[in-house]
Amino acid sequence: MPAETASTARPVAAARRRRLRADRARQLADLLRHQILAGGFPGGVLPLEDAIAADYRASRNTVRQALDLLRGEQLVDRRAGVGTVVVCEKFPHALDRLQGLAEILHEHGRVTNEVRTVGPVTASGPVAHRLGLPEHTDVLCVERLRRLDGLPLSLDLSYLPMDVGGELLGCDLENTDVFRLLEQLTGGPLGHAEITLEAVNADAHSAAVLQAPRGAAVLMLERLTHLPDGRPVDLEFIRFRGDRITMSGLLHRSV
């Protein structure tokens, strides 16, 4: 092999090895993260690096890199005399049932709401369209900071038609899910909802309210909920702290 070709090949081979190590570390981090979130480590303490390496057939360097990734997510930390421990709990949020946050997390603590905004506003074109209303119609706007046992979890912004939403003005929005209140007001269960889930960077306002780093990724859930007759009744934009919530669901493949 010519000297010039060999000198070029060596950096390429080294870069490939680094990429493969990084790939393996990421793949191992994914497996460990699943175990952590599923409560697979008794007492919240991960096995020693040698044990993880043996269990997952990985090198010690790969294990260290994977744990570094999880530390970067603030999911685990290294503690002297103990080892690697879980330091952040994520709460499960199901995507296959239409439920309010308090219903979803009732086993994990008490959900309370700080009502930041509530009152009529003129609907923008997109909001009016989604709710099936004429443009410039007034709608009820509700923004709430939602906490689980005092821990900031989500910032919820809702738009509702005034003939339904107006009734919420006299309701206990601090301690009750909007879904439950809507069902009480309409005299029956809600129907279905369309959802979109994506990651967005936290703006300065939502980061401050959620006590999250500015620019941190948050989970944005957009949900349009309908009554049983198909009428859209609640358009929500919900920003979840991504380090405190995990989304899950059961999906069936249709033939």
Side-chain angles (χ1 to χ4, degrees):
M1 178 183 295
E4 184 177 350
T5 303
S7 64
T8 302
R10 283 194 293 271
V12 172
R16 183 174 182 274
R17 287 194 296 273
R18 287 195 297 272
R19 180 180 62 78
L20 290 175
R21 284 198 296 270
D23 286 345
R24 287 193 289 267
R26 171 176 48 80
Q27 292 159 8
L28 177 56
D30 289 343
L31 296 174
L32 292 173
R33 186 186 302 103
H34 174 79
Q35 288 290 94
I36 290 168
L37 298 179
F41 298 116
V45 180
L46 275 65
L48 298 176
E49 291 179 1
D50 285 342
I52 294 175
D55 288 344
Y56 292 90
R57 297 184 179 182
S59 69
R60 284 285 298 275
N61 284 338
T62 297
V63 173
R64 292 192 185 104
Q65 284 183 273
L67 294 177
D68 283 343
L69 292 174
L70 297 176
R71 277 194 290 271
E73 298 175 16
Q74 300 181 345
L75 192 58
V76 302
D77 199 6
R78 183 81 179 174
R79 292 185 179 167
V82 179
T84 301
V85 299
V86 179
V87 294
C88 180
E89 182 180 6
K90 288 194 175 187
F91 303 102
H93 187 296
L95 290 176
D96 49 7
R97 294 187 63 189
L98 185 56
Q99 293 181 296
L101 194 65
E103 293 174 306
I104 293 171
L105 299 180
H106 72 279
E107 295 181 355
H108 300 277
R110 181 169 176 260
V111 173
T112 56
N113 313 298
E114 175 188 333
V115 180
R116 299 177 57 81
T117 300
V118 59
V121 298
T122 301
S124 64
V127 169
H129 175 73
R130 297 292 301 280
L131 289 173
L133 300 171
E135 288 194 23
H136 312 304
T137 301
D138 279 355
V139 295
L140 184 72
C141 175
V142 182
E143 183 181 76
R144 300 187 299 172
L145 171 62
R146 316 202 68 185
R147 295 185 175 96
L148 179 65
D149 289 339
L151 191 71
L153 197 61
S154 71
L155 182 63
D156 299 13
L157 180 63
S158 299
Y159 298 100
L160 305 100
M162 284 302 299
D163 65 321
V164 176
E167 299 294 327
L168 295 177
L169 292 172
C171 296
D172 184 8
L173 290 167
E174 293 186 351
N175 297 290
T176 315
D177 282 334
V178 168
F179 281 180
R180 185 174 294 278
L181 293 174
L182 287 176
E183 289 180 333
Q184 291 172 358
L185 293 172
T186 60
L190 295 170
H192 68 279
E194 305 154 21
I195 63 171
T196 300
L197 181 65
E198 60 181 319
V200 300
N201 292 331
D203 60 278
H205 166 71
S206 58
V209 172
L210 290 169
Q211 298 177 19
R214 184 173 180 176
V218 296
L219 291 175
M220 164 70 88
L221 178 67
E222 180 182 328
R223 181 169 59 196
L224 180 61
T225 301
H226 300 253
L227 295 176
D229 62 5
R231 181 191 177 191
V233 72
D234 185 8
L235 175 61
E236 301 170 274
F237 298 90
I238 306 172
R239 286 171 166 82
F240 289 101
R241 280 195 54 154
D243 59 343
R244 292 178 178 166
I245 205 82
T246 179
M247 301 288 181
S248 62
L250 178 63
L251 305 179
H252 297 277
R253 182 176 174 86
S254 57
V255 180

